[in-house]
Every structure is written in C-alpha cells, then in structure tokens.
Amino acid sequence: MHDAREFGPLQAPEASKEPTKYGSAQLATSSPVSISGPYLVAISTAAFALASVLLKMDVTSSGSNFPTTEIGLVRSIVSLAVATMALCGRHDERLSLVLRPSGLQVLRGIMDCASFNCFYFACTQLPVGVATVIMFTNPFWAGILARLVLKEAYGLWQFGATALAVGGVLLTVWPQVSNDGTVELSNTGIVFAALASLFQACQYVTGRAALESGLSYLQVSITSSVVGILLSIPLIVFCKQQHIVDQEFVPLLDWNLSVWCVTMAIACAATTAQLTLLMGQESVGALKTSMLRTLDIPMAMLWAYLLLGEVPYALEVIGASIVIAAVFLQTLAM
C-alpha cells in the first residue's frame, strides 16, 4: 500500500513509539511543512547546484582554489548549528535520540561525507563535466539499492525514466568533454567520481531508511553533520601531511573577505540542500529522490549563467530539457 504522503502535502502526524521496520521503537515524527516532497527535493537540488557553482568563486589571495576539504568542514559545522537550534526549538522531539544515534544515522553521515569529498576531489582531477556525468549515474545505483534494501518498485517505467535522464546528462556534458572526439582522463579522477556516485546513492537509501525508522529529518541531519566533522578533521590533517595539491589547509586568520563570504555562502546553500533533501525524503523514495536530483545539471547551468556569465551550448540546453522531461515523467508516476 502506498503512503498517502506521496500524493499530497506533507503533514505532521502524531508522535508514535511503535516498533518500526528498521529497529526498536523510536520517536516517529514528521516535518511540519506544507510543501510536498518532490518540491522539497527540487529546492535541495537548486541549493546543491548553487553551492557547486560558488566553489569556482572561492579562491584565496594567491589565486588558488580554496581547499574543498576545509569547505566540507565548515559546511558540517553550519549544518550542525542550524539543525540543533531548530531541533531544540521543537517540543515534540528529543535530543536524546541524537545523543544516542542509530547505526542508520551514522551510516548516512558517512555516505554523505564520502560522497561530497570524493566528488569535489574528482573535480580537481577531471573536467567538471566528466566528473558530473559520472556522479549523476547514481539513479542506477539508487534504483538497485532501493529495490534490495527498501523494497521500492523498480520496473520498466522506472528503468526507462532513469535511462532517459542519464542520457540527457550525457548529452548535456558532451560539449565540455569532447575535443575532436578525444579527451585525456585521469584514472584516479574516474575512480573517485564513480565512488562519489555510489556513495550518493547509498546516502539516499540510508537516509530514507533512517526516516522510515521513525527519526525526523532534523535528527538525521544533526548526526550526519557530527559525522562529517569527525571525518573532515583527520582528512584535512592527512591532506596537509601528504601535501596534496589544492587541499593545503588555510588557517582561519589567512582567510580574506572574499573567502569568508563565498565559503559561508557555500555552507548555507549546502545546509539548505541537506535539510530540504531530508524533509523531502520523508515522503519521497530513494530512487525518485535520485531522479529528481539529476535536475542539478540544468540548475547548475542556470546558476553559472547568472553568477559567472557562462552561456550554455545548444546541446547542453537540449540535454537539460531531456533531463527535465525524464523527471516530469517520473514525477507523474509518484
């Protein structure tokens, strides 16, 4: 039987402590918002695309790119602060569920941190277009994992819409990666982009499972942020010790005004993306979430035009239109 929330606005049900599918009794709550799940995921996509474009504008005084590992740490800190304040302001949820996180919460945080860092490292090794197209093959992984773990439907309709969306992504990025039909690619970059795609699909599935277990989006977000902080610190230390290019730690006192403004803007956009994604996943399955997130391609094109003055190629516009059509078809099935 389908959850009624899939076909209308999200509602805030009564708190429940009944045993759930994924573990012992938890405090079951839902986000008290009136925006339906697909729209929340679309907002998340727009915010994620904005953060991706802002990364190109985040440069140090020497003109080098600001380290993405450090951006990831700031993102996790801001997300933790916002979600904690929001949770403490609500009377129907308990902070104790965050202080004693479930394995699903922790696993979702690990997948989130791994996906973010792998993707942006891949962007330093590959053309951004190549890294993006590999990243957004994740609907295939998400569909398979959602079928195996969450028992979500994955029939011919879902497969066809997924294939159409991925085809649109390929067409969109082709002008960026083609160079007389050839392009030299880094094997390391390809591996990290593929890992980012797989981790992102795992993030969708574990996030959905955690929400189905009775946890709210704020509780899952807080745990993910804490895990992100705990993983980002040793990652930054490792990059510093290994002198990895573009990942050298920049002390706080060395941040200029531009770095402060752009980094905080990225953190705020990423926080918005995470919270709205989890809110939407309370009524949207993992496969449908990954499909909606392929809208990142046209969204990124729009932000790049508005902020960087980059005019898309004709093939990019056609590919983006195909992605939107695929998402529309998938949404009709929801």
Side-chain angles (χ1 to χ4, degrees):
M1 181 179 295
H2 292 285
D3 191 331
R5 290 179 296 171
E6 293 193 27
F7 302 95
L10 292 174
Q11 302 293 334
E14 293 291 331
S16 172
K17 293 185 180 180
E18 296 179 359
T20 58
K21 179 180 178 181
Y22 292 94
S24 58
Q26 300 281 1
L27 184 64
T29 58
S30 182
S31 55
V33 295
S34 59
I35 305 177
S36 63
Y39 291 109
L40 287 167
V41 177
I43 292 172
S44 172
T45 302
F48 181 84
L50 175 59
S52 301
V53 173
L54 287 174
L55 278 164
K56 297 182 180 181
M57 304 170 59
D58 202 359
V59 295
T60 63
S61 300
S62 62
S64 60
N65 292 328
F66 194 71
T68 56
T69 50
E70 205 164 340
I71 293 173
L73 176 60
V74 175
R75 166 207 180 211
S76 296
I77 293 173
V78 172
S79 296
L80 176 62
V82 172
T84 300
M85 287 188 293
L87 182 63
C88 290
R90 294 176 63 171
H91 302 292
D92 60 339
E93 300 187 39
R94 297 179 301 182
L95 191 59
S96 60
L97 291 179
V98 178
L99 299 178
R100 295 181 286 103
S102 67
L104 282 172
Q105 288 175 273
V106 175
L107 185 58
R108 195 269 177 189
I110 294 173
M111 295 299 105
D112 179 54
C113 183
S115 174
F116 177 88
N117 282 287
C118 284
F119 177 61
Y120 286 110
F121 178 78
C123 287
T124 66
Q125 304 295 311
L126 297 170
V128 174
V130 176
T132 301
V133 70
I134 297 174
M135 170 71 162
F136 284 97
T137 58
N138 63 64
F140 283 115
W141 313 118
I144 295 171
L145 290 171
R147 176 62 178 171
L148 295 175
V149 179
L150 303 175
K151 308 303 179 184
E152 293 183 7
Y154 190 63
L156 290 177
W157 179 273
Q158 288 82 1
F159 179 82
T162 300
L164 183 62
V166 173
V169 171
L170 287 168
L171 188 62
T172 299
V173 303
W174 178 250
Q176 303 178 47
V177 304
S178 62
N179 181 18
D180 294 331
T182 61
V183 62
E184 184 177 351
L185 300 178
S186 162
N187 291 331
T188 302
I190 292 174
V191 170
F192 273 86
L195 287 173
S197 177
L198 181 58
F199 287 138
Q200 185 80 356
C202 291
Q203 183 216 93
Y204 296 148
V205 173
T206 53
R208 175 67 174 174
L211 293 169
E212 285 187 350
S213 71
L215 298 167
S216 80
Y217 72 97
L218 288 175
Q219 294 161 347
V220 176
S221 179
I222 289 174
T223 302
S224 293
S225 299
V226 171
V227 172
I229 293 172
L230 294 177
L231 292 180
S232 293
I233 293 175
L235 181 60
I236 290 174
V237 173
F238 174 80
C239 291
K240 181 177 177 61
Q241 291 178 343
Q242 298 299 317
H243 302 289
I244 297 178
V245 178
D246 293 332
Q247 297 299 327
E248 286 284 350
F249 179 75
V250 180
L252 201 62
L253 294 178
D254 291 343
W255 291 19
N256 56 33
L257 180 60
S258 175
V259 167
W260 270 105
C261 293
V262 178
T263 301
M264 293 309 298
I266 293 172
C268 291
T271 297
T272 301
Q274 173 159 283
L275 290 176
T276 51
L277 173 64
L278 287 168
M279 290 167 67
Q281 279 198 295
E282 289 188 329
S283 65
V284 179
L287 172 60
K288 296 168 186 175
T289 296
S290 67
M291 284 291 302
L292 288 167
R293 287 298 294 268
T294 59
L295 285 171
D296 179 85
I297 301 297
M299 290 286 189
M301 289 167 51
L302 176 61
W303 286 121
Y305 174 74
L306 295 175
L307 298 178
L308 304 176
E310 295 181 357
V311 180
Y313 293 98
L315 279 179
E316 291 178 322
V317 176
I318 295 173
S321 300
I322 293 175
V323 171
I324 293 173
V327 172
F328 177 74
L329 291 174
Q330 180 67 21
T331 304
L332 287 179
M334 296 168 63

